[in-house]
Structure formats: structure tokens, C-alpha cells
Amino acid sequence: MVAQGRRVAIAASLASALMQPRIAQAWCGAPYPPYAYSLPWFQFGADGADVRVVGDFGQEKAKGLSPLLCIPSPGLTYEYLETLEALTISERRVAFVTLRSPTSAEAIGRQATAALRSLEAPRVHVLGHGTGAAAALLLQALEPTRVKSLILASPLATIESAVPAAREALEASLLPLLQTAATTTARSCVEAELARAHTPAAAAVLRDRGLPPFEELLRALATTSAPPPPLLLTRGSGDVSSEATALTILQAVAGARLATFVGSGAMAHVDQRAEYNERLLTFLDLVDGKTTRRAIMLPGTMRPGGSIVDSTVGVE
């Protein structure tokens, strides 16, 4: 079903947006770039999960690209990952899944698998944020030939995988995962999630160990019959996901890459949205073997979609 709501609400301003080209940037309170007004947008259910798909399947297929499936922390919705919709500038689809009633690894794996299959693509890039990173690894174990690459953003699987200062707070809620830098001015998608972070379902995934620890998930990744997919780990310099967790993942997966966003916590995709999205697009293009667009051509004008800033992003 074609989704209605906020895109319908902004449609009235389409003409003025096209007359005044702006730098294409992610949303979450930021201005919609002109190309966003014409993006197809679908929302539907898949085995109890809610799925949103943004982008054009025809363009993606014609370019030989694979879509990106984004998994938020179970218990939260995909709204706080809204800035990643801007990755559609590359002409690949970006999909999001909200995992409903995530009481066990079995339920999480079943819903994530249904979301992946709903994209009807031979292979899919998968991004998991927070406890969604463990869900992404679980999905790879269930669908090893379908997961093309993994992006683990501020990964958490257990309370112990967080920095010590955040562990007590994570016993009660996922609020530490949603804290943004003080200088952030556009964070409407995060504000909507703050109440959900305190729900029992959100905290239970960590507190009750609803997902296997990273060590178990990484062993499965290493022993699968298919070669492990390319892996990018992203984290902020002030992240609640510990450096020890990052090191465990990087040592377990040959060729894994790390992107550290200086000055951000667990919400680098909001705090440093242009740099974050550019880093992801560079990785996705490398895996797909393609060079995708970073700009939108408008009458007489071309505006860039953002560029990486080496002084604020460290890549190992």
C-alpha cells in the first residue's frame, strides 16, 4: 500500500521546493530535498513486523544495486533512523523494519527474515543499530546467502557490551542509545522515540538477554557455509557501545572496517548525518561494485548530496 501521511502533508510545497534547489540532506527535522517528493514509499506488514520501503525498485534493478534493510533496536520503531532515507539518493531502495513484540531471538529472527524477503531482491545489505546490530547478525545466520553486507551501528547485544557508565541506565530503558549531541538542532525523529525507550519491551531485549551475545553470533558468522559478508562497524567517540565490543567484532571478522565519528555518541547518523551517509554510501558502492550518484540534477543546477569530512571521521 502506498503510504500516506507526512509526504502527503508536504506535497503542497512541491512547486516551491523545485523552484529553489537546496543541498540534498537527510531529514529528521531538516528540510526535505527536492528529490524526496517524488520517491515511491510503501508501508506494509510482514509476519507481525512493520516494514517501510523508500525508493524505486526499477531504478535499483536497472543500476544493478542491492537495497539496504535497516533494523532499529527491537522495542523501538524505525522513525529514529529516518535520516538514512537520504541514502536513496544513490538510487537503491532503503527499507526499515519495526520488530513487534520482540520477546525472543526466535521472534526477532522470524520478523527480520520476513522483512528481508519482502524486498524481493537476490541479496540485501543489512544495517542494525543498537540491539538491532545483534538482530542483523542473527538475520545473517538465518539467511547467509541473502545478506550481502553488514553494517553494525553502535552495536549492543547484552548489558555487558555497553560502556560501564551506561549499564545501569540500560537495565531500565534504551534511552542511552537515543542521546544526541548537544549541538543537534534537528532531531524530531529522536524525540518521538524517547517515550518508547522506557517501555518494558525495549529494555527487556538487553535485560532478559533476548538476543545471543556477540561471541555466539560471531561464531555462527565464522562457521557458516557461505563466506562472511563485508562488514562495517560504526560508532561515535562517546558511544554507549564499548570499545571492547568493537574490538571483539573487528577481530572476529576478517576485513571488517571501523568508522569512528568524533564528537558523536550512539546517534552519529543524526549528529553527523552528511558524513555518516557518505561513509555508508562509499561502503555500499564498494560492495556493489558500482559508483552511485551523490547529486540530483535540477534545471540548470547540480547540488551535491554531502561529502565526508576527514577531520571528523576516522576510518580504520
Side-chain angles (χ1 to χ4, degrees):
M1 179 180 68
V2 178
Q4 299 181 2
R6 57 197 178 97
R7 292 197 200 281
V8 174
I10 62 175
S13 59
L14 174 60
S16 61
L18 292 176
M19 289 167 52
Q20 300 176 353
R22 295 169 295 188
I23 292 178
Q25 55 187 311
W27 15 107
C28 188
Y32 281 84
Y35 74 90
Y37 291 88
S38 60
L39 282 174
W41 182 38
F42 302 93
Q43 190 161 310
F44 50 88
D47 205 346
D50 295 331
V51 181
R52 175 195 291 168
V53 183
V54 184
D56 191 307
F57 175 71
Q59 290 180 345
E60 175 186 278
K61 186 175 181 179
K63 299 291 184 180
L65 303 171
S66 295
L68 172 67
L69 174 64
C70 303
I71 306 176
S73 292
L76 301 180
T77 76
Y78 46 59
E79 296 294 342
Y80 79 94
L81 297 178
E82 186 180 76
T83 57
L84 300 180
E85 287 188 18
L87 299 175
T88 53
I89 195 172
S90 66
E91 297 183 281
R92 56 174 59 86
R93 290 175 295 162
V94 179
F96 303 83
V97 56
T98 293
L99 304 172
R100 297 296 184 186
S101 301
T103 55
S104 66
E106 180 183 1
I108 290 170
R110 185 180 66 252
Q111 293 181 38
T113 297
L116 181 144
R117 291 179 178 176
S118 73
L119 296 177
E120 299 182 345
R123 305 190 72 193
V124 177
H125 302 287
V126 177
L127 177 149
H129 179 267
T131 54
L137 283 169
L138 180 61
L139 177 59
Q140 195 282 331
L142 295 170
E143 295 280 352
T145 62
R146 300 280 296 274
V147 175
K148 192 170 188 178
S149 74
L150 286 167
I151 301 169
L152 306 182
S154 303
L156 288 177
T158 61
I159 295 289
E160 292 74 22
S161 58
V163 295
R167 291 175 185 173
E168 183 176 353
L170 287 168
E171 290 275 359
S173 79
L174 292 183
L175 187 62
L177 271 172
L178 296 175
Q179 293 179 346
T180 57
T183 56
T184 298
T185 57
R187 42 175 282 165
S188 60
C189 62
V190 182
E191 299 288 356
E193 289 299 304
L194 295 180
R196 297 186 185 98
H198 292 283
T199 62
V205 175
L206 280 177
R207 187 184 61 246
D208 302 336
R209 297 182 179 273
L211 284 162
F214 280 121
E215 291 79 5
E216 182 179 333
L217 291 165
L218 292 168
R219 279 197 300 271
L221 185 66
T223 58
T224 182
S225 57
L231 187 148
L232 172 66
L233 191 153
T234 69
R235 64 187 305 273
S237 57
D239 216 305
V240 298
S241 176
S242 68
E243 291 185 5
T245 295
L247 186 61
T248 295
I249 296 171
L250 293 170
Q251 289 179 336
V253 182
R257 303 174 180 220
L258 170 66
T260 301
F261 294 81
V262 178
S264 288
M267 297 288 286
H269 62 282
V270 172
D271 292 332
Q272 294 173 241
R273 60 188 68 193
E275 295 87 350
Y276 192 89
N277 286 345
E278 178 65 22
R279 185 66 189 90
L280 262 56
L281 287 177
T282 299
F283 174 74
L284 296 174
D285 282 2
L286 180 65
V287 177
D288 281 345
K290 305 290 183 179
T291 300
T292 60
R293 69 180 184 182
R294 298 292 192 277
I296 295 297
M297 180 66 75
L298 296 170
T301 331
M302 179 169 274
R303 300 288 179 171
S307 58
I308 196 165
V309 180
D310 293 332
S311 63
T312 59
V313 182
V315 180
E316 299 178 3

